[in-house]
Amino acid sequence: MKQAVKTAKRTKRRIGASRGGRPTKAEAQAIEDRILAVAADLFARDGYAATSMERVVSECGAGKDTIYRRYPSKRAIFDAVLERSRRRIMARLGDLQVRQSSQDSLAQLKELTSLLLDINLDPELVAFKRIAASESLVAAGSHAEPEPDAIMSLLRTSVMKAQADRHIVTGDVNFLTDFLINSIIVGPTTLAMFGYKPLASPKERKLYFEKAWKLYLGGAAGRRG
């Protein structure tokens, strides 16, 4: 424990730019990453109202001026936290697309849907959604909200490919995409936002997903049991 305390103190001194002068680009990025990581943890754990700039300053180990130069208000730092979350989601989706290059279109759609279920049940993202739903201030005025259109566009494209290869029925791609989301992702995500912990283990999630996927294909393909 004493060693952990000493390490934390060293971290605070390092983040505070103790060597003087302007930080290097790498050091500046490390400072920003640390600030946003601490802020994200505070927002996710305690909510928007209970998270103050003073608490971010106190817990991340950066100087007050260092933080306020980057983020002049709580709204600004929350927007940056949301943007950080969005970038991470898009990076995971980008990595998936690279891995999927040799798969057929139905396998690609299945893996993409499974990943979106995992993403939507991530505790941090659930907390941010809860904030957006319950804090009218955040929901109404954020300039860095996650971009669902980019994700929906990716999912629609995957559905269209599966249609073109005759894995699922032809028809309104928007309807089939919404049907996919509503039949697999919405239920568990809604429960999580209300404080439940659905599909807490990887095994539970896998069993649920396989059953839900089979039912989706039963409706979307009309020939799978």
Side-chain angles (χ1 to χ4, degrees):
M1 178 62 74
K2 289 182 179 179
Q3 181 61 39
V5 171
K6 290 179 181 178
T7 301
K9 289 181 178 178
R10 285 198 300 269
T11 301
K12 288 191 175 185
R13 287 197 296 270
R14 185 166 59 250
I15 292 173
S18 60
R19 68 181 181 82
R22 292 178 62 85
T24 66
K25 186 175 180 179
E27 288 171 337
Q29 186 61 55
I31 292 170
E32 185 167 343
D33 290 345
R34 171 66 177 169
I35 293 169
L36 293 182
V38 169
D41 181 66
L42 288 171
F43 283 125
R45 189 182 69 212
D46 300 331
Y48 187 83
T51 299
S52 65
M53 292 292 283
E54 288 73 19
R55 289 192 66 200
V56 176
V57 170
S58 174
E59 297 201 22
C60 78
K64 189 173 183 179
D65 290 344
T66 298
I67 293 179
Y68 274 94
R69 275 198 303 270
R70 290 170 168 81
Y71 312 107
S73 67
K74 182 166 72 169
R75 172 60 61 81
I77 199 168
F78 185 72
D79 285 350
V81 164
L82 290 183
E83 174 60 21
R84 170 181 176 266
S85 178
R86 186 197 67 82
R87 287 198 307 267
R88 289 184 167 190
I89 290 171
M90 298 311 297
R92 291 179 68 182
L93 294 173
D95 290 343
L96 177 65
Q97 288 181 289
V98 172
R99 295 198 309 270
Q100 287 186 326
S101 58
S102 62
Q103 294 178 336
D104 68 46
S105 58
L106 187 61
Q108 290 180 19
L109 179 60
K110 181 179 181 180
E111 192 171 2
L112 173 59
T113 306
S114 179
L115 177 58
L116 289 176
L117 176 64
D118 287 343
I119 287 171
N120 277 276
L121 289 179
D122 178 84
E124 185 176 272
L125 186 59
V126 168
F128 295 159
K129 286 183 176 181
R130 190 180 295 122
I131 289 172
S134 62
E135 302 274 357
S136 58
L137 176 68
V138 175
S142 176
H143 298 293
E145 293 175 353
E147 298 178 9
D149 285 350
I151 296 173
M152 287 297 294
S153 178
L154 184 61
L155 193 56
R156 277 195 297 270
T157 298
S158 192
V159 169
M160 289 173 65
K161 288 179 180 178
Q163 285 180 310
D165 292 339
R166 300 188 178 184
H167 292 301
I168 60 178
V169 296
T170 58
D172 186 344
V173 65
N174 291 322
F175 177 83
L176 283 170
T177 303
D178 288 342
F179 178 46
L180 176 60
I181 293 170
N182 288 323
S183 61
I184 297 179
I185 297 173
V186 168
T189 302
T190 302
L191 288 174
M193 287 183 64
F194 278 99
Y196 298 96
K197 294 183 179 180
L199 315 178
S201 71
K203 182 178 180 180
E204 287 178 300
R205 194 170 298 182
K206 179 175 176 57
L207 288 173
Y208 163 81
F209 178 78
E210 291 298 336
K211 289 180 181 178
W213 177 254
K214 187 176 181 180
L215 288 172
Y216 172 73
L217 288 187
R223 56 184 176 81
R224 295 173 183 268

